[in-house]
Amino acid sequence: MTGLIILAVYIAIFVVSAFVLKLIVSQRQDYTSLKTVTFGDESAVTSNGTASVISIVTIFLIWGSFTGSSWLPSILHAPAPFVGETSFDYTLEDANGVTDTATVTVRVMDFGEKTEKFQVDPGEGMAKDDAVSMQASRSVTILFDKNDEATRKEGAKVVAINGTPISNDAPLTLDVGRFALTDKGAISFSAPRGLQMDPIYLPPPEDVWKRGIEIATEGYRNFYLHEHLAYSLFRVIAGFILGCVVGIPLGYAMGLNGWFRGWFDPIVEVMRPVPPLALIPLIIIWFGIGESGKVILLFLASLWIMAIGARSGVSGVKITKIHAAYSLGASKWQIMRHVIIPNSLPEIFTAARVAMGVCWGTVVAAELVAASQGAGMMIMAASKFTLTDIVVMGIILIGVIGFGIDMLMRWAERILVPWKGRG
Amino acid sequence: MSELAIDNISMRFDLPNGSSVQALKNVSLNLKSGELLSVLGPSGCGKTTLLNIVAGFLAPTEGQITLNGDRVVGPSAERGMVFQQGALFEWMSVRENVGFGPRMKGANPTATREKVDHLLDVVGLSEFKEKAVYELSGGMQQRVALARCLANEPDVILMDEPLGALDALTREKMQSLVLKLWKETGKTIILITHSVEEALLLGERLLVMAPRPGRIHKEYRLPFADLGVDQDLREVKKHPEYASTREEILSMIWDMEEEIMGRQEA
Ligand SMILES: Nc1ncnc2c1ncn2[C@@H]1O[C@H](COP(=O)(O)OP(=O)(O)OP(=O)(O)O)[C@@H](O)[C@H]1O
Ligand SMILES: [Mg+2]
């Protein structure tokens, strides 16, 4: 329900900001703006930077709004759930048709506060007053007859709330909240829930931020935040480098020699579709949960990708280039060094980007399974104690770091192989 | 006196399905040092195959090729190649591309540098020395390819449609350049082309090949290449013999194409 509302708000912001920006931002005057055919022309579609900024702001806005963030003015908050004391009357009818009315006082505790039993004066009559404490945005089952003179076992039942009739198949929604009767006749009550999320499901951004600072300065599970991340990164880089050191020469050999290709093709082609995650159990059995197991897992994750990238880089060299080099007097080794290797670099870089992405995903997954430090271990340990703020922070950091790695690879690609795609 | 001798070459490709293609049959030819031979013929008559054999990329099924008395067994620096396109190394600058041959030989870097500067001057690309090759136009790239081949000082230059991918105007300029370089360097050149005009203008000798099996159909000796060295090519085209030879060759190739079509229909 809340999910649909959030989706609707999101779509509304998407559409409205698109229209508003179209109105206030004047059209760019460049070559692309002079094109009359733009629909279907991929080159005419440039990523709109403003849209990216609004997109990120929107995510934080919605996040803050639906978690009641203190970073947002309360006017932007989604309706909060009812918190505080409220009460309602119920009318009890015993087996003989005699009725009596009693009051239930309900204390609704805010998110994160504990419920506490309390007492009220039971009052007079067949039905006695009750006191119930409950959590915001939840529902509570009220066993009203514990202190009543007529109990449900004896055939008594609730017939009205605040004077409005209620029965098993006719639940009630009043200003006080929603009422329903359980199969056994108890009152199920929920105070107005509002639209905000319980921080156990999604903490507000400031909580995540504070938790991040806390882990960065005080640590979590014996390690500081940067240590957790550094462990993950170290594993990725070690595994990736090993994968390159073995995979690239292997790929070259497969591209240049029929025996190598025949020998390794079945192995590479069978191992490639095996997701690295499927290797985790075997790796744990063989190498335990220590560093070496993880590095070997990442080595295997990148090995096939790099080997295939290097192989297709070699196979992709145009025969005219090789012929030209031979006619210019180059030796086999010189052709390797000056033609085949540079020609394969763009493919190798593409493979490296894929491999880094896969490795980063795999390391997190491996740490989820077994590790005593690392980004994945951090969020897994936190989830066991429903420390959702750590989980969310971990997910954001994993995403940001993965993105950072890819940006770095792209930057290196631009610097090192500027001829990519220009052959 | 260097001499390229093509001695009774035959080439048969055995296809995987068991049949075979006779790409060349009994082709013989002698080329003296400094001669410029242009080769014409309908598509599929074995021109590229012949050139690949001379370059040493393919071994003929019969016959042999000798250059200055030495048998050709593989590619070597004495037989330079200029391809239609895509043979430049895009990871090297223009200068590095042109200096590639001397560098591979381990020639003196200063001497190589001077030679490259000179050649780039000759082909009119001195301003583009440090550019990446993919930043150049198609015509400029072909001039780099020519310069790269010349920098290696081959005895024979083999060109497979070097100007085929260029527009008409650039092509004409490049034709003058090829003639100029030919005269200045005195290289032996074999030039394959699809353009009858180009073959006439550039070929001191002109070979018309016929298909199935690929063979030499007719050979001409032409004066136009020599004329073109100091005359505008468009003036050369006004020569009466030019027009008549052109017509003759065009109808010759036309007939061959007709015959191929007829055979296919039958
Ligand atoms: N590697 C090969 N395998 C099988 N057949 C081949 C091979 N190379 C060439 N041929 C055949 O040999 C014949 C001559 O080919 P070639 O490429 O030499 O022709 P061409 O005269 O250069 O044609 P074009 O003018 O179109 O370039 C063709 O029939 C072709 O199908
Ligand atoms: Mg050809």
Side-chain angles (χ1 to χ4, degrees):
Chain A
M1 185 52 204
T2 318
L4 284 180
I5 293 174
I6 292 177
L7 182 65
V9 171
Y10 188 75
I11 293 173
I13 296 180
F14 176 89
V15 174
V16 170
S17 56
F19 273 107
V20 169
L21 265 142
K22 198 159 194 161
L23 287 182
I24 59 175
V25 176
S26 57
Q27 290 292 310
R28 275 177 309 144
Q29 284 300 320
D30 61 4
Y31 169 62
T32 304
S33 69
L34 297 176
K35 285 187 180 176
T36 53
V37 175
T38 52
F39 186 78
D41 178 358
E42 200 271 334
S43 66
V45 179
T46 49
S47 174
N48 189 323
T50 324
S52 306
V53 173
I54 297 180
S55 161
I56 301 219
V57 170
T58 301
I59 287 176
F60 276 90
L61 259 181
I62 290 185
W63 180 8
S65 169
F66 284 83
T67 52
S69 166
S70 61
W71 284 353
L72 281 185
S74 50
I75 189 158
L76 289 177
H77 285 172
F82 176 84
V83 173
E85 198 165 290
T86 183
S87 66
F88 61 88
D89 297 340
Y90 68 93
T91 307
L92 192 69
E93 184 185 280
D94 73 3
N96 306 324
V98 182
T99 61
D100 185 24
T101 299
T103 303
V104 179
T105 307
V106 184
R107 281 193 193 156
V108 185
M109 313 305 285
D110 201 355
F111 293 134
E113 287 175 25
K114 285 220 164 60
T115 56
E116 240 171 47
K117 285 214 168 92
F118 65 101
Q119 301 292 326
V120 290
D121 179 26
E124 294 298 314
M126 173 179 78
K128 300 276 192 299
D129 295 351
D130 298 275
V132 173
S133 172
M134 68 180 291
Q135 208 102 55
S137 196
R138 303 276 176 87
S139 60
V140 67
T141 304
I142 300 168
L143 306 174
F144 56 90
D145 54 352
K146 267 197 262 174
N147 55 0
D148 293 352
E149 281 163 17
T151 63
R152 285 175 286 156
K153 273 200 191 122
E154 297 158 7
K157 58 175 196 250
V158 173
V159 290
I161 301 283
N162 282 355
T164 316
I166 187 168
S167 69
N168 269 49
D169 34 42
L172 264 187
T173 305
L174 302 174
D175 286 346
V176 190
R178 282 159 42 86
F179 298 88
L181 293 183
T182 66
D183 292 341
K184 289 178 178 163
I187 302 172
S188 168
F189 168 68
S190 47
R193 289 184 171 200
L195 287 172
Q196 290 186 8
M197 309 257 262
D198 188 333
I200 285 203
Y201 300 125
L202 183 65
E206 67 268 20
D207 280 13
V208 172
W209 174 255
K210 270 185 235 144
R211 186 67 84 158
I213 302 280
E214 183 193 313
I215 297 182
T217 52
E218 291 162 32
Y220 180 69
R221 293 277 173 134
N222 309 325
F223 291 96
Y224 292 112
L225 180 60
H226 71 266
E227 289 176 319
H228 282 296
L229 299 177
Y231 265 104
S232 302
L233 267 177
F234 160 76
R235 290 165 182 153
V236 166
I237 290 170
F240 171 74
I241 288 178
L242 275 179
C244 289
V245 166
V246 178
I248 296 175
L250 178 63
Y252 279 147
M254 288 171 74
L256 294 169
N257 182 291
W259 182 256
F260 268 95
R261 183 177 297 193
W263 189 278
F264 287 106
D265 246 350
I267 302 175
V268 169
E269 295 297 340
V270 169
M271 287 311 291
R272 180 175 60 161
V274 176
L277 297 189
L279 297 174
I280 292 180
L282 193 60
I283 297 278
I284 290 179
I285 292 171
W286 283 358
F287 302 98
I289 61 162
E291 261 352 89
S292 54
K294 285 187 193 65
V295 171
I296 288 168
L297 178 70
L298 298 174
F299 160 71
L300 290 174
S302 51
L303 174 65
W304 317 119
I305 301 175
M306 294 314 295
I308 289 168
R311 185 188 66 185
S312 60
V314 171
S315 322
V317 60
K318 263 201 198 151
I319 187 63
T320 49
K321 287 193 180 34
I322 302 286
H323 279 172
Y326 271 119
S327 304
L328 289 166
S331 66
K332 269 190 184 168
W333 168 242
Q334 286 172 326
I335 286 181
M336 184 73 197
R337 160 84 182 69
H338 296 287
V339 183
I340 293 177
I341 290 180
N343 188 81
S344 67
L345 283 183
E347 293 257 16
I348 287 183
F349 257 94
T350 309
R353 266 179 67 190
V354 174
M356 272 306 245
V358 169
C359 279
W360 183 243
T362 305
V363 79
V364 171
E367 289 164 353
L368 289 178
V369 176
S372 45
Q373 67 294 101
M377 170 269 168
M378 198 171 67
I379 62 177
M380 198 60 192
S383 84
K384 286 188 183 133
F385 299 94
T386 45
L387 294 169
T388 320
D389 42 6
I390 297 186
V391 174
V392 171
M393 180 201 70
I395 291 171
I396 293 176
L397 281 177
I398 290 166
V400 168
I401 291 174
F403 178 65
I405 291 175
D406 198 53
M407 293 304 281
L408 216 67
M409 301 290 286
R410 275 196 240 180
W411 173 79
E413 190 174 44
R414 263 205 313 280
I415 302 290
L416 295 174
V417 285
W419 64 87
K420 181 176 185 183
R422 314 265 204 116
Chain B
M1 194 67 177
S2 79
E3 190 176 79
L4 180 73
I6 299 173
D7 188 11
N8 208 23
I9 292 286
S10 294
M11 185 75 204
R12 199 184 63 244
F13 288 107
D14 292 319
L15 302 179
N17 63 13
S19 65
S20 62
V21 179
Q22 190 74 41
L24 291 172
K25 194 161 167 83
N26 303 337
V27 174
S28 291
L29 183 75
N30 274 301
L31 219 58
K32 288 203 186 63
S33 177
E35 278 187 318
L36 202 175
L37 172 81
S38 57
V39 182
L40 263 180
S43 189
C45 69
K47 305 182 291 292
T48 300
T49 307
L50 178 64
L51 209 69
N52 280 340
I53 292 172
V54 176
F57 303 140
L58 279 176
T61 40
E62 277 170 49
Q64 64 171 18
I65 290 180
T66 52
L67 179 59
N68 306 328
D70 297 328
R71 188 163 174 187
V72 167
V73 287
S76 108
E78 64 206 10
R79 280 159 283 122
M81 273 292 250
V82 179
F83 295 89
Q84 182 169 2
Q85 62 182 152
L88 294 178
F89 307 132
E90 56 267 30
W91 45 90
M92 297 179 190
S93 67
V94 168
R95 175 197 290 285
E96 288 168 327
N97 262 285
V98 176
F100 183 82
R103 257 195 305 143
M104 295 303 105
K105 266 186 260 168
N108 176 323
T110 338
T112 305
R113 212 180 158 78
E114 277 167 20
K115 187 194 267 178
V116 169
D117 283 350
H118 169 70
L119 280 168
L120 284 175
D121 219 26
V122 171
V123 298
L125 288 176
S126 349
E127 291 160 43
F128 299 90
K129 277 176 202 143
E130 307 303 336
K131 284 253 191 288
V133 288
Y134 53 79
E135 291 172 298
L136 304 185
S137 71
M140 289 161 141
Q141 291 187 358
Q142 282 316 82
R143 283 188 267 165
V144 175
L146 266 176
R148 180 174 74 173
C149 184
L150 290 170
N152 212 31
E153 295 180 7
D155 293 338
V156 181
I157 299 179
L158 309 170
M159 306 189 189
D160 193 352
E161 301 201 40
L163 315 181
L166 306 181
D167 66 281
L169 222 69
T170 316
R171 193 167 181 156
E172 220 174 277
K173 283 190 203 143
M174 290 289 287
Q175 288 166 350
S176 299
L177 179 67
V178 170
L179 277 181
K180 183 178 126 191
L181 291 173
W182 170 59
K183 260 291 149 242
E184 276 177 13
T185 59
K187 300 283 178 206
T188 314
I189 299 179
I190 301 182
L191 178 130
I192 292 181
T193 174
H194 267 139
S195 152
V196 178
E197 299 211 337
E198 188 167 287
L200 285 169
L201 287 173
L202 301 186
E204 192 185 18
R205 290 169 67 184
L206 191 161
L207 213 61
V208 181
M209 289 181 65
R212 309 190 177 210
R215 61 198 185 272
I216 296 174
H217 182 71
K218 187 156 184 186
E219 196 189 323
Y220 293 83
R221 279 193 176 270
L222 302 166
F224 312 116
D226 281 319
L227 294 175
V229 170
D230 8 65
Q231 257 185 55
D232 190 71
L233 290 185
R234 253 164 275 175
E235 288 303 314
V236 177
K237 286 183 194 169
K238 291 183 186 144
H239 205 280
E241 199 189 331
Y242 177 88
S244 61
T245 323
R246 208 189 87 173
E247 283 316 307
E248 190 183 321
I249 294 175
L250 272 175
S251 56
M252 195 183 297
I253 293 179
W254 183 253
D255 288 346
M256 287 182 205
E257 301 266 9
E258 289 269 88
E259 202 188 323
I260 296 171
M261 302 287 256
R263 248 190 282 174
Q264 271 166 359
E265 273 159 29

